[in-house]
């Protein structure tokens, strides 16, 4: 079987099928249905738990008003996703804004803003509506999907991010920052603001606001420490790594010093040896992730294997020649960029050329 110019072997097909089966087991669920009144009261009673990574993202009043308008009009409301916790409470995987808005409107008398379709109730509170309409709203139902115990922490975060693709919501780096606060993440945030690093790795303002530098720093450490353990799922790998490193940093605070030194010494070496940093050209305004990983990790491993190269001149490495080669461009292309073999290939390409300089 072929895929474009690539030959897919039976072994690769079997591995792909096994991965599909394993990942599917993580997402097992049942469907439920609750009235708006029950949902609002359960939120108020604390039976629904909103994870920390979702708490900071709150709909503006206009969007809350529009959602309530949709509920009153009887428009279809998307499923709410829960995870059943060991104590029987439900963690809100997706839908916290909808649930919080219902709670505010039904129980806190949130005042509606200007509405498009139901303009006559603009400015109304719930208690301003006729009692008959209040009952009808309370009796409306919203369906939910409850994930069972197979949905581990990283699976729930992954689902949250996938459901909200394209929305103004937390991405993977933001989720890690909210869900895994601790000494390792504190260092990641600190290094993400390092002036030299920022000068070497330009990213767009949008990507910067979305914690793009946090993601790059985390990848540097995670792949640098555990490339042998990586299994082609970067989101899960980064999450579990950050969780483990928070524990280790808490146990041994001196790790923060050594890890900061590792990162900064690598960036200083790259600044001296690579004329354009992680850019493709002198005027480049972006940092392709695969290119960043190859140069950052290749440099780190080369310095580890042969420390004396930190004193070599830039001319001795002549990185401009091989970073512009077809082989390097192919290895840092986006096709299958997260596959372990591709990741190892591009990292080793840089490491070997620096070590053998």
């Amino acid at each position: 079987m072929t895929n474009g110019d690539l030959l897919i072997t039976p072994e690769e097909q079997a591995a792909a099928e096994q991965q599909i089966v394993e990942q599917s087991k993580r997402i097992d669920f049942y469907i439920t249905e609750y009235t708006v009144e029950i949902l609002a009261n359960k939120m108020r009673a604390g039976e629904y738990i909103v994870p920390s990574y979702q708490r900071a993202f709150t709909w503006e009043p206009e969007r809350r008003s529009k959602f309530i308008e949709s509920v009153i009009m009887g428009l279809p409301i998307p499923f709410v996703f829960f995870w059943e916790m060991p104590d029987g409470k439900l963690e809100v995987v997706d839908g916290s804004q909808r649930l919080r808005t219902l709670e505010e409107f039904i129980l806190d008398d949130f005042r509606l803003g200007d509405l498009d379709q139901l303009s006559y109730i603009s400015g109304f509170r719930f208690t301003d509506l006729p009692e008959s309409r209040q009952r009808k709203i309370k009796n409306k139902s919203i369906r939910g999907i409850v994930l069972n115990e197979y949905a581990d922490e990283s699976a729930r975060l992954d689902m949250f991010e996938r459901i909200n693709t394209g929305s103004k919501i937390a991405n993977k780096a933001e989720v890690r920052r909210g869900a895994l606060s601790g000494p390792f993440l504190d260092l990641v945030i600190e290094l993400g603001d390092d002036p030299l690093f920022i000068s070497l790795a330009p990213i767009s303002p949008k990507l910067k606001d979305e914690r793009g530098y946090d993601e790059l720093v985390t990848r540097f450490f995670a792949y640098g420490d555990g490339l042998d353990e990586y299994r082609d799922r970067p989101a899960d790998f980064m999450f579990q790594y950050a969780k483990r490193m928070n524990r280790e940093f808490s146990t041994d605070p001196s790790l923060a010093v050594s890890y900061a030194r590792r990162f900064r010494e690598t960036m200083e070496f790259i600044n001296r040896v690579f004329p354009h940093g992680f850019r493709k050209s002198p005027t480049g305004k972006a940092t392709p992730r695969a290119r960043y990983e190859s140069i950052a990790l290749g440099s780190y491993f080369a310095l580890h294997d042969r420390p004396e190269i930190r004193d070599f001149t830039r001319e001795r490495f002549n990185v401009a020649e091989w970073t512009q080669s077809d082989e390097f461009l192919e290895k840092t292309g986006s096709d299958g960029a997260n596959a372990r073999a591709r990741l190892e290939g591009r990292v080793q390409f840089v490491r070997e050329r620096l070590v053998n300089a």
Side-chain angles (χ1 to χ4, degrees):
M1 181 177 295
T2 61
N3 180 8
D5 295 331
L6 299 177
L7 178 65
I8 307 300
T9 66
E11 291 77 15
E12 290 173 324
Q13 285 183 320
E17 177 62 21
Q18 179 63 29
Q19 186 181 54
I20 292 171
V21 170
E22 290 176 355
Q23 295 304 320
S24 297
K25 288 180 180 178
R26 302 165 74 218
I27 309 297
D28 198 8
F29 62 89
Y30 63 87
I31 296 176
T32 187
E33 192 166 356
Y34 296 111
T35 65
V36 164
E37 182 177 26
I38 290 175
L39 290 170
N41 284 320
K42 282 182 175 290
M43 281 293 291
R44 177 55 52 88
E47 293 190 30
Y48 295 158
I49 307 301
V50 179
S52 59
Y53 62 85
Q54 295 190 48
R55 291 174 194 151
F57 297 89
T58 305
W59 280 351
E60 61 278 5
E62 292 78 12
R63 191 168 181 182
R64 280 181 280 168
S65 295
K66 192 173 184 64
F67 171 71
I68 295 298
E69 181 183 41
S70 298
V71 172
I72 296 173
M73 291 173 62
L75 295 176
I77 303 301
F79 281 83
V80 177
F81 285 77
F82 299 102
W83 172 64
E84 192 167 38
M85 303 171 69
D87 62 2
K89 294 182 179 181
L90 299 181
E91 177 184 287
V92 185
V93 177
D94 181 73
S96 69
Q97 301 292 351
R98 279 165 272 157
L99 294 177
R100 282 185 276 185
T101 298
L102 288 173
E103 178 191 359
E104 290 176 356
F105 183 63
I106 301 297
L107 302 178
D108 289 338
D109 247 11
F110 165 71
R111 185 185 295 277
L112 298 172
D114 292 334
L115 303 179
D116 294 329
Q117 303 299 320
L118 302 179
S119 58
Y120 288 177
I121 65 169
S122 295
F124 274 41
R125 299 179 185 275
F126 181 71
T127 52
D128 292 328
L129 295 166
E131 288 188 9
S132 59
R133 178 54 57 186
Q134 293 181 35
R135 294 191 193 98
K136 290 176 182 179
I137 294 173
K138 288 181 178 179
N139 288 334
K140 289 182 182 294
S141 62
I142 294 178
R143 305 186 82 184
I145 292 179
V146 182
L147 307 174
N148 72 0
E149 70 274 12
Y150 287 112
D152 59 21
E153 197 170 22
S154 60
R156 303 195 304 273
L157 290 170
D158 182 53
M159 175 172 286
F160 173 73
E161 192 273 339
R162 288 173 184 273
I163 291 170
N164 288 286
T165 297
S167 301
K168 184 181 178 182
I169 201 67
N171 59 28
K172 293 181 178 67
E174 291 171 317
V175 165
R176 281 198 300 271
R177 182 183 278 211
L180 294 176
S181 59
F184 173 71
L185 264 295
D186 290 343
L187 178 64
V188 167
I189 294 168
E190 175 188 333
L191 296 176
D193 290 331
D194 184 83
L196 176 59
F197 177 49
I198 292 173
S199 70
L200 292 170
I203 60 177
S204 68
K206 179 177 181 296
L207 191 57
K208 183 177 180 181
D209 289 342
E210 293 174 351
R211 313 301 184 192
Y213 283 123
D214 287 12
E215 180 71 17
L216 295 179
V217 174
T218 304
R219 285 181 178 239
F220 173 81
F221 288 129
Y223 290 146
D225 278 348
L227 197 53
D228 292 342
E229 301 173 9
Y230 175 61
R231 295 295 182 269
D232 300 349
R233 286 183 56 82
D236 287 356
F237 181 71
M238 300 297 164
F239 183 87
Q240 295 302 333
Y241 174 81
K243 186 176 182 179
R244 173 167 57 85
M245 295 308 292
N246 267 335
R247 293 196 300 267
E248 293 188 11
F249 273 48
S250 295
T251 303
D252 183 2
S254 67
L255 286 175
V257 177
S258 62
Y259 272 66
R261 182 186 305 115
R262 176 202 302 186
F263 183 82
R264 290 194 167 104
E265 287 181 351
T266 303
M267 293 305 122
E268 289 168 1
F269 175 79
I270 291 169
N271 182 51
R272 188 169 60 81
V273 171
F274 291 81
H276 314 318
F278 301 109
R279 302 173 179 83
K280 286 186 176 181
S281 68
T283 58
K285 297 181 180 180
T287 299
R289 186 166 290 171
R291 186 182 182 92
Y292 164 80
E293 291 166 348
S294 65
I295 294 175
L297 290 159
S299 297
Y300 165 65
F301 287 126
L303 287 167
H304 181 271
D305 295 344
R306 194 182 177 194
E308 63 268 26
I309 68 172
R310 70 179 69 252
D311 298 322
F312 290 0
T313 64
R314 173 183 289 183
E315 290 70 25
R316 180 163 177 172
F317 294 106
N318 193 22
V319 298
E321 179 179 337
W322 47 264
T323 55
Q324 295 172 8
S325 68
D326 291 340
E327 184 179 5
F328 181 71
L329 295 176
E330 189 279 329
K331 287 184 177 295
T332 55
S334 59
D335 183 34
N338 287 325
R340 177 176 169 178
R342 290 291 303 250
L343 174 60
E344 289 179 328
R346 59 179 175 266
V347 170
Q348 292 306 319
F349 179 90
V350 175
R351 186 194 70 81
E352 289 171 3
R353 276 149 186 79
L354 294 174
V355 167
N356 296 323

